[in-house]
Amino acid sequence: MAAPQPETLPTVLLNTGYEKRMPMIGLGTFTGTRYTQKAKPGDMKENVLKWIKAGGRMLDCAQNYLNEAEIGEAVKEAIDNGWVTRDEMWISSKLNNPYHRKEHVKQALKKTLLDLQVDYVDLYLMHWPTAFVYVPFEDDDLEKPGLSMEYEPDQCSKVTGVKWNELEEGEWPPPHLDMKVTIHETWAAMVECYKEGLVKNIGVCNTQVQLLHELLCGTDVKPAVVQHEAHPYCQQWGLLKYCKMNNIQLQAYSPLGYGEFVGKDEIKVLQHPVLQQIAVKHGLEPNPGGVAAVCLQWCTQRGVATMPMTLHESEMIGNLKTGSQLTLDADDLAEIKKLDKAYHYLRPEQWYGLPYWD
């Protein structure tokens, strides 16, 4: 049997009026993409089952992670075993970059639904506000869950014939970018999917305030969620303020500082002495687990949802204690606010050829 979701876990209602509350603590599912994948087949299925068994109900998925079929197997198994119902799960996914043209958005979404073995997702996000050239799915991939090894949506190399990051620096535009698609075209197609009931909420990722404002100026349907990197070194106060002004839920990825992208000599959130001291003050150990509890409480206490990635059951159980372990006081919050450096561990210029954060 699976544990129920803890009653003390913070949840939130989104601006669409959707009756289901989104858990403010979820599970991230990124373990790499086609050229960087580190997980072995079956790892993510096992991980999701551990999460559900521990009481976790929110899953943050993405087609670009290439593991939605495994997640779908886990969710189906958990439902078939009577651990959970579909209505008890909150499943989010993301539109991948090659499918931003209006005629491709629903195709990509339906592939996600096929892989996850569900009729709808609770939240569908535009993964990056940048269109890539269209990458067709392999024929078999549209008929059954999973993605063929020949499918490569990051470099779009099967379509362009080159890997863009191996070209000479300065060549513009990189061949994988589709320069004829705006965020408004993509959003309008996502709105249609929302109106059809294929998704219950829609949102965007990795949009800073200026682009988010531009999007709102061209639509009557606001994003329900904006997902962005946020942690004590990258606190995103301006974005959070704008989201609150517009009744949009901010959701943080990498709330503990991104392990996969942290360089050997980079500053590390979980090792900061201020956060360690706050952990000790609240009766926790000054180790990564204690500091993680401080960071997740800080995140939800300021109204930000999040979904840390972990492969460890003990860390899942610890994450699900958010809301019951401690409450940060004004002094704690003031000390954490001093740590902000507007520091990004994710550097999409290395992947997409665009200096997003400039």
Side-chain angles (χ1 to χ4, degrees):
M1 292 297 294
Q5 179 174 283
E7 293 183 2
T8 52
L9 194 76
T11 61
V12 64
L13 284 172
L14 301 183
N15 63 17
T16 53
Y18 186 42
E19 66 279 3
K20 191 190 302 187
R21 300 183 70 91
M22 184 176 77
M24 292 184 74
I25 297 292
L27 179 71
T29 60
F30 175 75
T31 57
T33 55
R34 179 61 73 213
Y35 291 123
T36 63
Q37 187 60 247
K38 294 183 178 180
K40 300 187 296 294
D43 281 356
M44 188 50 62
K45 177 182 178 180
E46 180 183 349
N47 209 48
V48 169
L49 287 171
K50 287 190 294 187
W51 173 245
I52 295 173
K53 194 170 184 179
R57 297 295 180 265
M58 189 275 174
L59 296 169
D60 179 69
C61 314
Q63 193 171 79
N64 193 53
Y65 302 164
L66 308 180
N67 57 14
E68 289 191 323
E70 284 193 27
I71 295 168
E73 289 176 8
V75 171
K76 183 178 187 303
E77 185 173 317
I79 292 173
D80 289 348
N81 287 343
W83 292 2
V84 292
T85 64
R86 171 65 186 93
D87 190 56
E88 291 171 331
M89 295 295 300
W90 183 286
I91 302 175
S92 301
S93 187
K94 306 182 190 76
L95 175 71
N96 205 3
N97 299 346
Y99 308 103
H100 277 219
R101 285 183 177 260
K102 59 184 179 182
E103 63 268 27
H104 299 145
V105 170
K106 190 185 294 186
Q107 180 195 43
L109 171 59
K110 287 188 172 181
K111 173 58 180 167
T112 277
L113 297 177
L114 174 67
D115 285 352
L116 291 172
Q117 301 189 52
V118 295
D119 296 325
Y120 67 92
V121 289
D122 297 279
L123 174 62
Y124 196 51
L125 300 164
M126 191 186 309
H127 203 158
W128 290 89
T130 305
F132 284 7
V133 296
Y134 176 62
V135 177
F137 292 102
E138 303 296 319
D139 290 342
D140 289 347
D141 292 347
L142 293 174
E143 305 299 326
K144 57 181 178 57
L147 292 163
S148 308
M149 289 301 294
E150 293 77 19
Y151 174 74
E152 190 281 287
D154 289 321
Q155 299 276 347
C156 309
S157 54
K158 194 170 181 180
V159 175
T160 64
V162 297
K163 293 182 180 179
W164 68 265
N165 64 349
E166 295 177 357
L167 300 173
E168 289 188 20
E169 187 174 353
E171 184 170 332
W172 185 264
H176 67 298
L177 295 185
D178 186 340
M179 302 292 289
K180 302 295 184 182
V181 186
T182 70
I183 192 171
H184 296 291
E185 176 181 335
T186 307
W187 184 251
M190 292 177 66
V191 169
E192 290 305 309
C193 294
Y194 165 66
K195 290 179 177 178
E196 289 182 30
L198 297 174
V199 301
K200 302 301 183 182
N201 300 275
I202 51 177
V204 294
C205 305
N206 300 301
T207 53
Q208 294 178 290
V209 169
Q210 185 174 3
L211 184 57
L212 181 58
H213 184 70
E214 166 66 20
L215 176 61
L216 265 60
C217 288
T219 182
D220 293 327
V221 180
K222 289 182 180 180
V225 170
V226 170
Q227 189 183 109
H228 215 297
E229 179 179 0
H231 44 74
Y233 291 163
C234 186
Q235 297 186 17
Q236 301 281 12
W237 287 106
L239 180 60
L240 178 58
K241 179 181 179 181
Y242 187 84
C243 286
K244 287 184 174 181
M245 286 167 54
N246 287 281
N247 192 25
I248 298 170
Q249 178 61 47
L250 182 59
Q251 188 178 49
Y253 63 78
S254 308
L256 310 178
Y258 217 116
E260 286 293 322
F261 295 99
V262 179
K264 184 176 66 173
D265 299 321
E266 280 191 281
I267 54 176
K268 296 177 175 62
V269 171
L270 296 183
Q271 295 177 5
H272 199 285
V274 167
L275 299 173
Q276 292 173 337
Q277 290 162 13
I278 293 174
V280 171
K281 172 182 170 180
H282 291 277
L284 302 171
E285 294 295 325
N287 57 19
V291 175
V294 170
C295 291
L296 296 182
Q297 180 63 27
W298 169 78
C299 199
T300 58
Q301 202 167 312
R302 69 188 191 125
V304 178
T306 189
M307 58 297 165
M309 164 60 187
T310 178
L311 296 171
H312 304 289
E313 188 172 4
S314 61
E315 294 178 354
M316 294 178 186
I317 293 170
N319 295 348
L320 289 168
K321 291 179 181 177
T322 302
S324 65
Q325 273 187 303
L326 71 155
T327 299
L328 300 173
D329 60 31
D331 290 340
D332 300 328
L333 297 173
E335 288 302 309
I336 295 173
K337 195 165 189 177
K338 294 176 186 176
L339 303 182
D340 193 11
K341 306 174 188 297
Y343 190 89
H344 289 271
Y345 288 106
L346 267 73
R347 302 168 185 100
E349 185 172 6
Q350 298 173 358
W351 323 320
Y352 298 156
L354 295 170
Y356 273 98
W357 313 142
D358 289 346

